[in-house]
Amino acid sequence: MRLGGRIAAAAEVLDDMAARRRPVADALKDWGLSHRFAGSGDRSAIGNLVYDVLRRRRSLEARMGSHVHADLVYGAVLDSGTTADALTAAVEGDRFAPPLPSADRIGAFLAEVRSPDHEPAALADVPDWLAAPLEASLGKDWIEEARALSARPPLDLRANLLKASRDEVAAELAPLGAQPSRLSPWGLRIDPIQGDGRHPNVQVERGFQTGLFEIQDEGSQLAALLAGAEPGQRILDYCAGAGGKTLALAAASGNQADMHAFDADRQRLAPIWDRLARAGATAMVHQPRDDLSGLLGAMDLVVVDAPCTGSGTWRRRPDAKWRLTEAQLRKRMGEQDHVLEQASRFVAGGGRLAYITCSVLREENAARIESFLATRSGWRVVDAEAIWSERLPEASRAYRAERIQSGSVLTLTPRLSGTDGFFFALLTRDAT
């Protein structure tokens, strides 16, 4: 396909999403099934254009002065480094290309990369209602922080230390461009996609199939590392999902912890058994109907990767940014309070509770910790900055810290840490 056809296809996918209110992955899949003539390179390029528009929709609309999806795709192409002359030449005479925006509109688009006349939400590429919560959460640099959440993400991997060292995995994946990550001692990174490219399918690699590495964002790796799994501990991953942090915690303990994994959603939990077997990790998996009473008040560490809006993952799931509503945020806050209350019952005296989200919104993060502490005695916030310095002595302070009581909590962001957005807090329960 020529560029004009790819632009038309991307606009068609965006139109379909808007008309049917459906996730981007579903729309792209259906487009591919109904256009089987398109090769893998075409599908990858079209997907990149669609995702680029979704990541920066508000700023593209403001600069282009249009809400028409084809115009926004043209804007994304121009933002990728294609000159106006090159774009015009590429689509001229292409009967599949949508009408090209006027020369004046293109000139205005290129001149208004960061116009001070644009609304803050447009500069930040977020819905209007999120401007105030993001500013309250991320401070004076909130627009820059939000813009970093609109960039293309890297592909992060975690070396499974139960089977191989990071250097061994790095050597095996060197042809794919994998390099040691900046912060996590377990991590490897493949840089963000450039142009029409795509990330390699690492799941077909021998190392993945034999459990030498897992796909896991560096921020998630750091949250597991800061939680502090140690040999001999009794550990419960309370919102285990597919088991990413369960695997990381098991590896951190050298497979010497009494590891338990639970999730209230059977479907989310389903992949965990295959992943444990592949990684050579040991954990007792508890399904929703299982009796957990024997674990109450008995855990040295309980990890809560709480349900959240996923605002920290907008680089990877940009369509979620535009679907999020204030009502959904309030619902997530209620779920987080409930999960924290339920999970806290499993912590032994002197034990710890790690609260983690992939959100950058304070309402879901520090505010939930404050709400938990306001109604319970015998709990205190650990100094997460001190834990960072202890466990990552060579790493820079690539986080946003907030003091709560005598301790601190941390927020990671793409702008500061190069990771997805993550929140980490560690509470300890008084010994009884």
Side-chain angles (χ1 to χ4, degrees), residues 48 90 178 273 342 427:
N48 285 342
W273 285 277
Q342 292 295 309
L427 309 179

Side-chain angles (χ1 to χ4, degrees), residues 190-260:
I190 297 174
D191 288 338
I193 294 168
Q194 299 296 318
D196 294 338
R198 53 183 170 177
H199 278 135
N201 181 8
V202 297
Q203 295 187 46
V204 302
E205 295 293 320
R206 182 194 72 89
F208 182 84
Q209 293 292 326
T210 58
L212 303 187
F213 69 86
E214 290 284 337
I215 300 171
Q216 186 176 26
D217 182 77
E218 188 179 11
S220 181
Q221 296 177 39
L222 293 169
L225 185 149
L226 295 172
E230 301 288 349
Q233 290 182 332
R234 301 195 74 190
I235 301 173
L236 171 62
D237 186 359
Y238 187 71
C239 298
K245 287 189 177 64
T246 302
L247 298 178
L249 293 164
S253 72
N255 234 5
Q256 298 300 309
D258 180 12
M259 191 77 212
H260 297 259

Side-chain angles (χ1 to χ4, degrees), residues 270-324:
I272 195 170
W273 285 277
D274 285 344
R275 296 184 72 185
L276 287 168
R278 187 174 63 242
T282 302
M284 175 68 72
V285 179
H286 302 273
Q287 299 188 75
R289 292 191 293 269
D290 289 353
D291 181 8
L292 301 184
S293 60
L295 305 183
L296 291 171
M299 296 290 110
D300 299 301
L301 171 64
V302 175
V303 175
V304 177
D305 189 353
C308 68
T309 60
S311 58
T313 66
W314 283 342
R315 295 185 301 175
R316 305 178 194 280
R317 302 178 182 88
D319 52 327
K321 174 167 52 176
W322 310 111
R323 294 198 306 268
L324 182 62

Side-chain angles (χ1 to χ4, degrees), residues 58-405:
R58 285 297 303 279
S59 63
L60 290 172
E61 289 174 344
R63 292 166 58 197
M64 190 61 78
S66 171
H67 298 282
V68 176
H69 286 135
D71 291 344
L72 304 186
V73 179
Y74 275 119
V77 173
L78 289 167
D79 263 359
S80 71
T82 302
T83 66
D85 288 344
L87 176 61
T88 301
V91 302
E92 190 173 14
D94 186 345
R95 64 188 180 91
F96 295 105
L100 190 68
S102 68
D104 288 345
R105 179 170 286 179
I106 289 176
F109 175 87
L110 294 172
E112 294 189 12
V113 176
R114 293 293 304 278
S115 172
D117 295 332
H118 295 160
E119 293 292 329
L123 293 174
D125 275 307
V126 298
D128 286 336
W129 75 269
L130 271 169
L134 284 168
E135 184 175 10
S137 302
L138 299 172
K140 62 182 180 62
D141 297 327
W142 76 273
I143 291 177
E144 295 300 328
E145 292 278 12
R147 286 177 65 84
L149 282 162
S150 299
R152 290 182 176 183
L155 175 60
D156 286 350
L157 314 171
R158 178 183 57 79
N160 176 18
L161 301 188
L162 296 176
K163 290 192 171 185
S165 69
R166 178 168 72 168
D167 288 345
E168 290 170 334
V169 177
E172 181 163 324
L173 297 180
L176 305 183
Q179 297 290 328
S181 55
R182 180 165 66 98
L183 299 171
S184 169
W186 310 330
L188 294 161
R189 170 163 292 183
I190 297 174
D191 288 338
I193 294 168
Q194 299 296 318
D196 294 338
R198 53 183 170 177
H199 278 135
N201 181 8
V202 297
Q203 295 187 46
V204 302
E205 295 293 320
R206 182 194 72 89
F208 182 84
Q209 293 292 326
T210 58
L212 303 187
F213 69 86
E214 290 284 337
I215 300 171
Q216 186 176 26
D217 182 77
E218 188 179 11
S220 181
Q221 296 177 39
L222 293 169
L225 185 149
L226 295 172
E230 301 288 349
Q233 290 182 332
R234 301 195 74 190
I235 301 173
L236 171 62
D237 186 359
Y238 187 71
C239 298
K245 287 189 177 64
T246 302
L247 298 178
L249 293 164
S253 72
N255 234 5
Q256 298 300 309
D258 180 12
M259 191 77 212
H260 297 259
F262 168 80
D263 198 279
D265 187 329
R266 294 171 61 89
Q267 186 171 348
R268 281 172 46 84
L269 194 63
I272 195 170
W273 285 277
D274 285 344
R275 296 184 72 185
L276 287 168
R278 187 174 63 242
T282 302
M284 175 68 72
V285 179
H286 302 273
Q287 299 188 75
R289 292 191 293 269
D290 289 353
D291 181 8
L292 301 184
S293 60
L295 305 183
L296 291 171
M299 296 290 110
D300 299 301
L301 171 64
V302 175
V303 175
V304 177
D305 189 353
C308 68
T309 60
S311 58
T313 66
W314 283 342
R315 295 185 301 175
R316 305 178 194 280
R317 302 178 182 88
D319 52 327
K321 174 167 52 176
W322 310 111
R323 294 198 306 268
L324 182 62
T325 66
E326 293 179 86
Q328 289 171 332
L329 173 58
R330 290 192 297 271
K331 180 181 179 182
R332 289 289 178 263
M333 291 163 57
E335 292 170 347
Q336 289 151 5
D337 288 341
H338 176 72
V339 166
L340 262 174
E341 189 276 326
Q342 292 295 309
S344 68
R345 301 178 304 135
F346 295 93
V347 182
R352 294 167 298 145
L353 173 64
Y355 177 75
I356 301 163
T357 74
C358 54
S359 172
V360 296
L361 298 175
R362 191 180 189 280
E363 292 97 322
E364 299 185 90
N365 296 337
R368 304 281 49 82
I369 298 298
E370 291 171 337
S371 176
F372 177 84
L373 294 171
T375 57
R376 291 164 183 81
S377 60
W379 291 87
R380 63 180 178 83
V381 180
V382 179
D383 188 345
E385 288 189 275
I387 297 173
W388 180 284
S389 297
E390 175 189 341
R391 296 189 174 272
L392 297 163
E394 298 181 3
S396 61
R397 296 183 177 182
Y399 52 73
R400 183 178 301 275
E402 180 177 348
R403 305 300 298 185
I404 296 181
Q405 295 181 346

